[in-house]
Every structure is written in C-alpha cells, then in structure tokens.
Amino acid sequence: MSLYLPIAEMSVNALLIIMISGGIGFLSGMVGVGGGFILTPALIFMGIPPSVAVATQASQITASSFSGVIAHARRRGLDFRMGLLLSIGGIVGSTVGVWIFAVMKALGQLDLLITIFYVFFLGVIGALMLWESLLALRRRARGGPPPRRRRKRGWAHRLPLRMRFPQSGLYISVLPPLGIGMLTGVLAAIMGVGGGFIAVPAMIYLLRMPTGVVVGTSLLSIIVITALVTVLQSAQTQTVDLVLAALLIVGGVIGAQFGARFGARLKAEEMRIILGVIVFATALRLLWDLVAQPSELYVLSR
Amino acid sequence: MRSVLLPALALLLAMIAAPALAQRQGDLAAGITDEEVAVTSDYQGARLTVFGVHWRGGRAKSDVVVVLRGPGEEEIVRRKRRVLGLWINADPVRFSDAPSFHALASTRPIGSFLSASTIANLGLDPGARARLETATPADTDPAAYRRALVRLKRAEGLYRESPYGLRLEEDGAFKAPFIIPANAPIGAYSVDVFLFRNGRLVQQKPGEIVISRIGIEKTIHTAAHKWPLLYGIATVLFALGAGYAAALAFRRR
C-alpha cells in the first residue's frame, strides 16, 4: 500500500514502514530501550531525507514514552522532582540542539552531523552492550555470584546547590540532573532519539537513583523533551511529517507492547546481545559510508 | 481506456486542425492527456501523454521534440573532500534556475540533428539552462559541476531523456508518453513541442500542466508551512493521544 508523504514529498510503502517500526518497537519493548536510535537510521536507509527522519521520529518517541510512563505512574515508579529537573535541562538542550540542526542544515552539513553522532553513540553503546552481556554470560556459566555494586557517594553528591529528592531517597546537587537533561535534549534534537540510553545509565551510575524509579522518571523527561523537539522542529525547519509520524506511531506502539510481553519470557543477556549486535552493525555501516571512497564525488543539497 | 482514446483524440485533432494546416505550411497541433495532476495520499507519480499531428513538409525530414519542464529552482552542488579520514561535503557551488524536472522525448537523439548552440538556446539541455551563481573553487572545472548536477538529477529520476520516445506515424500523428515520478516537485510545468525540418526549427507550441496537492495532502502541507507552531503542537497532541490509547488498549487485566 503506497502512501504519499506530504512533507517528505515522496511515495512510500506504508505497510513496510509500519512493519519496520513495529519490528524495532518489538525489539525495544523486549529490552526496554526506546529504539529511536535504530529506527532513525532505518528510515534514512529507506531514502527518507535525514532531516525529516530525525524530526518526525521525535513525535513517535513522545507517543511510545507516554504509553510507557502510564504504567510506571500507576505503580508510583516516578520521581517528579527529578523528572522536572531533567526536563528543564532538556528544554535548554533541545533548544540548542534544534538551533544547531537548523544551522547545519543551512550549511549543507546536516547529514554529516547526524552520521557522526550516530557512529559515535551507536559504536560506544553497541560495544558496551556486547561487553556487558558477554561478561554476564560468562559469570553465569561459572555460576559465581553477581559482582557487588559499590555504593559510594559520587561527585554528584559533593557539588553545590543540593536538593532533597524524597521519591529517590537522595540529597544531591541539582547540577548533574540538569546536565544529563541537557545532553539528552541535544541528542533528541540532532539524532531523533529519546536519549534514554544515556539518561538511564547516568541516573543509575552517576546519580545513584534506585532502579525502580529510573525508567519512569527518564520516560517522563523524554516526553517533555521530544514533545518540545517536535514543536521546535516544526516551527524552525518544517520537517515534521504528520503522515510518517502516524505510521511510525502505529507500528512502534503496538510492537513495543507485544515486545514487552514477549520479553518477560526471555533472558535479558541474550536479548541485549541481539540488540548490541544490531546497534554495533549499524554503527559500522554508517562509519563505512563516512570513510569509504565514494563512487559519486558530488552531492546535491537543497 | 486511455490508450484507446488517444489515437481517436489525435485523429479528431487532426481533422480540426487539417484545414488550417493545409494553408500554412509546416504547422503543428498538440495536446496533453492530463493538464492537471492531483497529488492525493495515494499519489505515486503521474503518467501522461503529449500527442499531436504535424503536416509533413514534402520530402524534408521532420523531427518532433517534446520537453516537459518543472519550475526552476536553486540547486547547491557540493564536492566531497577527505578531511581527517572522513568524506565531507565541501566546495559548494550554487546554480539558480536549474529545472527541477526535465523530460525530453524526441524522434531521434537531438544531438544528431541539432547543433549544441540550438540545443542550448531552445532550453533542451537542462544542464545548460542552470545558471552558475558562484565561482567554482580554484582547482575545479565549472563544467564538472554542471555535469554532476545533470548526473545527480538523472539518478533521482528527475532528468529523463528518451531519444526515440516519440514516433511519427505515416499520417503525421505522434505521441510521446511521459512519466513524472512522485519525487518530482509540485508546481506548474511547461510543455513545449518543437517541430524541426531538416534540423531547422519550424514551429514551437507551448503548453502547461499543473501538479497540485489536493485534499488531506494539501491541508497538511499548508498547515506545516503556514502555521508551523500550531502544526507542531497538533502533532504532539496526536502522539500523546495515540500513546494513551495504546496504554489503555494494552492494559493488563
């Protein structure tokens, strides 16, 4: 079934897009990550202009995060105060990010910027995922106990402007949450991702938040950030495609729900290996495009 | 249906045009199957046919050329350069008034009966139409950029050429089928029909077709560009609504 996208100004196979976003939604629902960082490159490989892919993807993440956060709110797995701080940082970061996006688009270097961000972040995250799950598998094979996590007061606890976070049982500086929010905001604007893959580990290892509230809180800030990115991209670059967004939302939301159910029956390490391989392979593919001698030396940009 | 209609239409046209043609030597009549193309949500591009008749001028060799051309636009061509091991887009060169779409059908390759200057003057070569607006970098050839522009547009299916895509029938009728792909821009396209005799232009017939969005496509596109802020807010509300609906639908009972 072919459908004409009014903003991308091209005809696409609607079922194919729903299936791809559904498949990636399924995978991300199993593992518990957003999936934007696989879906956006997939859209670009399909020929959707990178600017449209990134800007439109943000609204899909708003939808899937909102459907996810409701479950967390029901069982009180949310730290609203922390979410507010992350969101404030995110608002600053995404405003800066959309501005960088517009400047690079005008300079004709947007594709390069997006690709470099993806190669770097996908490469690092893919490698970490593989490494961690391989270690976990080896530990399990040996039958030893999991290593104890050191519960030390980190630098986040020593910075000024400290604040109490009763929900998380923390008394830490407001600066690290603001900084994490800012970084996720920039990534959301430039990569079309939610940034959960940065925010969640940062909240666990830097802020030392209890894991029960981490995912819900990060989803909350991701909703605010991606909603803002959608509005800012619409206003500044006019690259948000409502029809494409609808296809991505339908596929992604349904896929994630089924993935979450299916995932409960699988082992976490094995799923993380699958995802790690996909993420790492995507990074290599994008890196190859950057370093290989191109067959066509010239490019058109408008 | 359309293929049955076409010869009939051409014949009808020939009958109407015949008296006039008989008096004025080297005359030409032409028409287009669709003068308006509507872009709807299932738009996959358009197929249209330019048809007509020409009066055969004795023993002279007649050639007909049809050019379909989209609105002129600015194009920036960049050349990739290796910086720190990465291939980045560098050395931008700006062209103005490059045809956004250019399709040509002729009885035989135009280079075989027209001089390069005639081809350029009549606008039959899309690369020659584009005006170079900026200087090219010192070590480069402006012609290389122009060739690249044509090559890249051709790769996108936006510059098309069918050197034998037009056949002249014995009775003087002709038709040239065209494909406008879905990625061709929206707007007013010019349709020019040229009649050559022994390589000399005898007559030129201008025409126009309009590709426009209608219905939901138009509403969304207009909203995104006229009220971008509201459009963005509406997209977010839609996303939130869809997320909420999904959470309700999939709630574990």
Side-chain angles (χ1 to χ4, degrees), chain B residues 110-130:
Chain B
I110 52 172
S112 67
F113 64 96
L114 296 177
S115 68
S117 63
T118 311
I119 292 175
N121 289 340
L122 294 177
L124 302 182
D125 175 8
R129 264 190 91 83

Side-chain angles (χ1 to χ4, degrees), chain B residues 12-253:
Chain B
L12 191 72
L13 234 149
M15 275 161 25
I16 298 165
L21 289 177
Q23 282 150 23
R24 283 175 44 200
Q25 267 207 353
D27 220 335
L28 173 73
I32 313 156
T33 44
D34 297 275
E35 289 180 334
E36 274 165 39
V37 175
V39 174
T40 52
S41 54
D42 60 350
Y43 180 66
Q44 288 186 66
R47 285 168 182 278
L48 44 87
T49 302
V50 177
F51 57 88
V53 280
H54 80 291
W55 190 77
R56 290 169 41 230
R59 312 180 66 184
K61 168 81 177 164
S62 294
D63 283 291
V64 176
V65 176
V66 181
V67 178
L68 210 69
R69 189 165 43 236
E73 63 182 14
E74 178 177 275
E75 292 285 1
I76 297 171
V77 180
R78 289 185 167 83
R79 195 178 52 163
K80 288 184 193 246
R81 193 167 358 120
R82 198 162 204 168
V83 176
L84 301 172
L86 306 180
W87 288 93
I88 69 158
N89 302 340
D91 309 330
V93 164
R94 200 159 51 101
F95 289 92
S96 69
D97 212 23
S100 51
F101 179 81
H102 183 101
L104 183 143
S106 50
T107 42
R108 53 188 168 133
I110 52 172
S112 67
F113 64 96
L114 296 177
S115 68
S117 63
T118 311
I119 292 175
N121 289 340
L122 294 177
L124 302 182
D125 175 8
R129 264 190 91 83
R131 270 202 312 279
L132 198 60
E133 290 288 320
T134 46
T136 52
D139 60 327
T140 57
D141 177 14
Y145 270 94
R146 209 177 274 279
R147 280 197 303 274
L149 172 68
V150 174
R151 195 168 60 237
L152 292 165
K153 295 285 277 187
R154 203 172 276 164
E156 289 181 33
L158 295 175
Y159 285 0
R160 300 162 163 259
E161 216 168 305
S162 42
Y164 298 100
L166 201 151
R167 217 178 71 223
L168 292 180
E169 304 293 341
E170 273 303 302
D171 59 1
F174 62 85
K175 61 174 178 179
F178 284 94
I179 292 174
I180 301 179
N183 60 340
I186 309 283
Y189 283 52
S190 69
V191 183
D192 286 293
V193 184
F194 299 90
L195 173 64
F196 297 94
R197 213 155 272 160
N198 289 338
R200 284 188 44 217
L201 180 64
V202 180
Q203 201 176 350
Q204 176 180 0
K205 265 238 161 0
E208 195 186 62
I209 59 165
V210 176
I211 303 180
S212 50
R213 297 181 178 86
I214 61 164
I216 186 92
E217 296 300 310
K218 184 176 180 174
T219 313
I220 292 176
H221 190 267
T222 311
H225 287 87
K226 270 207 176 135
W227 308 287
L229 197 64
L230 278 180
Y231 175 85
I233 293 170
T235 308
V236 168
L237 290 179
F238 169 71
L240 292 177
Y244 187 68
L248 280 189
F250 285 91
R251 187 161 57 178
R252 283 167 201 223
R253 270 153 288 197

Side-chain angles (χ1 to χ4, degrees), chain A residues 4 9 109 240 253 297 301, chain B residues 41 78 80 89 213 231 246:
Chain A
Y4 185 79
E9 304 203 327
Q109 304 296 351
V240 177
V253 166
L297 264 186
S301 44
Chain B
S41 54
R78 289 185 167 83
K80 288 184 193 246
N89 302 340
R213 297 181 178 86
Y231 175 85

Side-chain angles (χ1 to χ4, degrees), chain A residues 82-242:
Chain A
M82 186 67 84
L84 185 70
L85 277 178
L86 288 168
S87 301
I88 292 170
I91 289 167
V92 176
S94 49
T95 310
V96 171
V98 172
W99 177 77
I100 297 174
F101 189 92
V103 169
M104 293 305 262
K105 190 171 181 239
L107 287 176
Q109 304 296 351
L110 182 59
D111 302 11
L112 178 75
L113 178 78
I114 294 174
T115 313
I116 288 179
F117 263 71
Y118 266 99
V119 168
F120 179 75
F121 283 103
L122 291 187
V124 169
I125 289 149
L128 284 179
M129 274 177 154
L130 283 176
W131 179 246
E132 202 190 328
S133 37
L134 284 179
L135 280 186
L137 277 184
R138 216 174 56 185
R139 260 200 317 272
R140 212 174 50 197
R142 284 210 196 119
R148 274 190 306 134
R149 191 172 288 162
R150 285 181 305 153
R151 184 130 184 124
K152 212 176 71 181
R153 291 164 65 84
W155 54 273
H157 301 248
R158 290 195 300 268
L159 285 169
L161 293 171
R162 264 171 279 190
M163 197 179 192
R164 219 166 274 288
F165 296 92
Q167 213 87 35
S168 306
L170 288 173
Y171 178 59
I172 58 166
S173 162
V174 299
L175 296 177
L178 286 177
I180 294 168
M182 265 174 72
L183 182 62
T184 43
V186 171
L187 297 185
I190 292 176
M191 299 172 68
V193 297
F197 62 89
I198 295 287
V200 169
M203 286 155 85
I204 294 174
Y205 297 113
L206 285 180
L207 308 184
R208 301 184 196 284
M209 279 171 71
T211 40
V213 295
V214 164
V215 176
T217 308
S218 98
L219 283 178
L220 187 68
S221 68
I222 285 169
I223 292 169
V224 175
I225 291 168
T226 53
L228 183 70
V229 166
T230 305
V231 173
L232 289 178
Q233 292 283 26
S234 301
Q236 205 153 1
T237 56
Q238 277 115 48
T239 45
V240 177
D241 196 306
L242 191 50

